[in-house]
Amino acid sequence: MRRLANIAGGLLGLLALGALVVALALTFGGLPRQAKPASQAFQSPIQTPTQPPYPPPETPTPPGPPATPTVPPTPIPRCTFAARPAPAEPAPPLEAYQFSEPRVVLTHTSAIGIAGWLPDGQRLLVTRLIPGQSREYVEVFNTRTGELQRYGERHSLPGKPVWLAAHQAVAFADVAPDKQVVLRISWGEGAAVETPVSGLAASFLGASPDGRQVVFFTQAAPNRPEALDIAQAQRVTLPVTLPPTPYRISWHPQGDQIAFYNETGFYLADLPSGRICEVDLGFEESEARYGKRWAFYAQWSPNGRYLAMLTTVGNLPVKFSDLTILDTTAGELHSIHPDQYINPGQYYVTDMAWAPNSQLIAIRAAVEMREGVMYEGLYLVEVASGRDIRMLPEALFTGGDAGWNLAWSRNGQQMAANCPTANEGRLCMIAVTTR
Amino acid sequence: MSYSRIKYVLLLGLLLALASIGTASASSFIPPSQITVRMYRLQFPSGAIYQPQELCSSGNTNFGCTAFVSDANHPYPYGSSNPVTIPIETDYLLDVVPSEISVRLSTPQPFRHKPLPPVPMPTGISTRGAPSTTPTSSRSLFPMLLRHFHRQPRLTSLITRTILVPVRTSTTTSESSAAP
């Protein structure tokens, strides 16, 4: 009897052991399928050259029973780019560039924002915050004469004013007395400011390269961008549909594409065909970062081949930001940043400005954080290699929101940089030469 | 009374005195319910202090002064007060602290395994401060933002760099001199 009990006990023990082995095998057997190599986390379908540049038009849905009244929105396809070999154009090496010491050319009792250079390479479109108020001046600053031409005044907003070269005018968003965001057009100092559009969805505008049109979103149609023809005062809804959230806008220098982007996605709209696709910036799944990479500032290169973006992952305030460059010719996407951390895992690329040759990009990146204030250095990045060098290593810059602090003139000879102190807004000019 | 007895009596008396002091101080302690903070406009999107420094003021809709950037209906919520004394429980703990302690770095895991269903979001409420009227399933909701679904329309700054200043205005106000 005792022997029988021993045998039964042994069998039970074996069974328990077997169950444990099976459980362990199931647990660890599933791991290789769940784990994803880090290299794949950034893999982007834009590198697949087998598909046409834009997806073909959708085939009509086959006849069938009537659909439910709520039709889900059509998913936006991923962008694919035909990888074409692009010969490297000769350009001076990074070391050939020389930057002069920053020279203060404008001071103000409050913040100065750089919206961008005018085509003449001499004048800058700027904003100057009115001290103690949430309003700011929209002005054109002549960097040679120091003259300021006031085009208007507006509520301080994150969307930049844009220069309309064809009309020598400025378009900017403002907040109307009824608290709606409106589009204003100023034709010059002393001229009347028009308000052609009310009820904008956001303060972000995009100007066509020729300066004849301005694109924007309205609250009435937050998923359909509209373009205003300035001369004809005519509004046209562009033939693209996006998820309905406010977008930042960057118009391609050749005029046929527009980038719309925010924290939910980065989209390229092809105006001639009306097609739209999403640029996959990657998805991160690490202990420190989790989420879809998103862009908060983007600029096309002057030749239209590259799209430079400042990207990050996660909610605001963000813990890092990269310079991400999309090569639409080679179909490649790279995220880079100077090897400079202000805390472990914490670094910021805060602004960028293309060189006229489209082969270099100047960036501002954080080098130090003291008492909540970020101090930035100025770097030059070679787009083809991703190599960077720090320019003016002794110079530390502070500033405002990303995208408002750096601009490279179209003739390549001047760099405008915000260089404020804690108590005073300052605009600096840096002369650029090559050896 | 011998010397050793006296010693024990004195020791007991000392212990009793210490115990009574501790009890008295514990019973008289009132936890602070308010804190005074100085709120600055912040650099988008890093959260560093904007330069030149700009104290948030009435009507300011810039990053750092309100959770709803550019929304003129939801500007800096404390009028012209800055520094401002705010309730610790409802404003400081929910709005300021989470944005200053990198709480997001440790929160994605639970949300990854428990995706939240789309929530109809009222106008002006979104996870990043941008006005939205349509829910998107990819969004995550964090505790600091959930309060807005329960306490409309009291809106406070969610991402505000704070400078804590010592306050002696009332017995229920905390005292702190921490730097950001």
Side-chain angles (χ1 to χ4, degrees):
Chain A
M1 195 65 189
R2 198 171 186 180
R3 199 172 171 185
L4 272 175
N6 281 344
I7 290 168
L11 282 172
L12 277 173
L14 277 174
L15 274 174
L17 197 64
L20 188 65
V21 167
V22 169
L24 281 172
L26 285 174
T27 306
F28 290 105
L31 273 183
R33 274 169 293 174
Q34 290 165 11
K36 199 175 179 182
S39 59
Q40 283 183 16
F42 272 94
Q43 200 169 26
S44 166
I46 61 167
Q47 293 178 19
T48 310
T50 52
Q51 296 178 37
Y54 284 91
E58 290 165 25
T59 51
T61 50
T68 52
T70 52
V71 180
T74 312
I76 294 175
R78 292 284 164 85
C79 296
T80 54
F81 299 92
R84 299 187 298 273
E89 294 167 22
L94 288 178
E95 289 75 14
Y97 283 83
Q98 286 186 315
F99 284 15
S100 73
E101 285 299 313
R103 181 171 54 93
V104 179
V105 292
L106 179 66
T107 59
H108 180 50
T109 47
S110 193
I112 299 172
I114 301 172
W117 282 96
L118 269 54
D120 61 10
Q122 183 175 336
R123 291 177 295 165
L124 270 175
L125 184 58
V126 298
T127 59
R128 287 193 304 150
L129 196 67
I130 302 171
Q133 295 186 36
S134 54
R135 296 187 66 75
E136 61 192 12
Y137 301 124
V138 178
E139 295 170 319
V140 168
F141 174 64
N142 190 317
T143 58
R144 288 191 192 162
T145 64
E147 184 193 4
L148 276 165
Q149 281 184 302
R150 187 162 301 164
Y151 275 68
E153 187 186 313
R154 69 166 191 170
H155 186 90
S156 177
L157 290 167
K160 285 183 176 183
V162 293
W163 177 251
L164 304 170
H167 303 285
Q168 300 291 297
V170 175
F172 56 91
D174 188 12
V175 176
D178 62 0
K179 297 189 177 176
Q180 284 203 57
V181 182
V182 298
L183 171 65
R184 303 212 196 273
I185 308 286
S186 171
W187 301 92
E189 193 168 36
V193 177
E194 296 174 4
T195 307
V197 183
S198 296
L200 296 185
S203 61
F204 304 109
L205 307 174
S208 62
D210 58 9
R212 295 182 191 280
Q213 297 178 81
V214 175
V215 72
F216 52 87
F217 289 85
T218 62
Q219 286 180 327
N223 58 340
R224 301 292 301 272
E226 286 185 54
L228 174 72
D229 187 300
I230 306 296
Q232 299 175 5
Q234 203 170 26
R235 286 168 66 171
V236 178
T237 302
L238 300 181
V240 293
T241 304
L242 292 153
T245 54
Y247 292 94
R248 292 170 184 253
I249 302 164
S250 183
W251 207 317
H252 190 278
Q254 267 92 59
D256 54 352
Q257 287 183 62
I258 304 179
F260 298 105
Y261 58 98
N262 61 18
E263 69 273 26
T264 67
F266 197 107
Y267 303 96
L268 287 182
D270 184 64
L271 298 180
S273 67
R275 290 175 189 160
I276 192 154
C277 63
E278 181 176 6
V279 177
D280 180 12
L281 298 178
F283 194 97
E284 296 212 18
E285 291 182 83
S286 67
E287 284 297 316
R289 300 174 184 173
Y290 181 83
K292 185 177 179 177
R293 187 176 279 259
W294 57 281
F296 52 87
Y297 185 51
Q299 271 189 351
W300 290 95
S301 62
N303 65 4
R305 173 177 168 175
Y306 302 101
L307 189 53
M309 299 163 261
L310 301 183
T311 63
T312 189
V313 171
N315 288 342
L316 296 169
V318 302
K319 302 301 171 201
F320 77 98
S321 55
D322 282 312
L323 170 67
T324 299
I325 297 176
L326 170 67
D327 182 345
T328 59
T329 302
E332 291 173 355
L333 185 76
H334 299 287
S335 287
I336 51 179
H337 66 90
D339 191 19
Q340 185 79 43
Y341 294 80
I342 55 172
N343 278 311
Q346 192 176 18
Y347 59 87
Y348 296 100
V349 180
T350 62
D351 214 328
M352 59 183 174
W354 278 102
N357 65 8
S358 297
Q359 295 180 38
L360 293 176
I361 190 163
I363 60 169
R364 285 172 58 140
V367 293
E368 196 179 346
M369 181 87 96
R370 267 186 279 129
E371 296 179 345
V373 178
M374 190 187 291
Y375 295 88
E376 301 161 8
L378 191 58
Y379 294 80
L380 262 187
V381 179
E382 198 171 56
V383 174
S385 65
R387 194 166 66 93
D388 67 78
I389 58 167
R390 184 162 177 197
M391 309 299 290
L392 308 172
E394 268 80 52
L396 288 176
F397 299 88
T398 61
D401 292 343
W404 284 87
N405 301 300
L406 195 64
W408 202 334
S409 67
R410 293 193 191 180
N411 59 17
Q413 295 170 0
Q414 294 288 329
M415 181 97 64
N418 235 336
C419 54
T421 65
N423 306 312
E424 184 180 66
R426 289 182 180 177
L427 178 65
C428 283
M429 212 55 62
I430 299 165
V432 182
T433 52
T434 50
R435 280 182 289 196
Chain B
M1 193 178 280
S2 69
Y3 172 72
S4 61
R5 279 193 179 176
I6 291 171
K7 193 170 72 180
Y8 284 123
V9 168
L10 283 174
L11 188 62
L12 184 65
L14 183 67
L15 284 174
L16 283 171
L18 282 174
S20 64
I21 288 168
T23 309
S25 64
S27 61
S28 64
F29 175 72
I30 301 167
S33 61
Q34 292 181 306
I35 192 166
T36 295
V37 295
R38 188 168 285 144
M39 302 200 184
Y40 289 96
R41 178 180 180 178
L42 303 180
Q43 278 180 305
F44 174 88
S46 66
I49 296 177
Y50 191 98
Q51 299 290 303
Q53 291 180 1
E54 184 185 338
L55 279 170
C56 297
S57 57
S58 177
N60 198 321
T61 57
N62 287 309
F63 184 64
C65 296
T66 172
F68 308 102
V69 176
S70 307
D71 184 351
N73 291 305
H74 300 123
Y76 174 65
Y78 300 110
S80 56
S81 304
N82 202 345
V84 59
T85 301
I86 58 173
I88 288 178
E89 191 176 344
T90 58
D91 288 26
Y92 187 70
L93 288 179
L94 291 174
D95 295 342
V96 179
V97 172
S99 67
E100 295 191 343
I101 59 170
S102 302
V103 68
R104 291 169 194 82
L105 292 180
S106 57
T107 47
Q109 292 290 340
F111 288 110
R112 180 158 41 149
H113 299 299
K114 271 173 48 183
L116 293 169
V119 178
M121 302 172 88
T123 303
I125 305 296
S126 88
T127 52
R128 287 206 177 85
S132 171
T133 52
T134 305
T136 50
S137 57
S138 64
R139 292 182 171 187
S140 298
L141 301 175
F142 291 93
M144 59 189 268
L145 293 161
L146 285 174
R147 63 186 293 253
H148 295 303
F149 293 96
H150 303 301
R151 297 180 67 243
Q152 289 284 1
R154 178 86 170 92
L155 302 170
T156 57
S157 176
L158 298 186
I159 33 179
T160 299
R161 175 69 59 179
T162 56
I163 305 286
L164 307 185
V165 293
V167 173
R168 298 180 191 279
T169 52
S170 74
T171 54
T172 57
T173 302
S174 72
E175 292 183 20
S176 175
S177 59

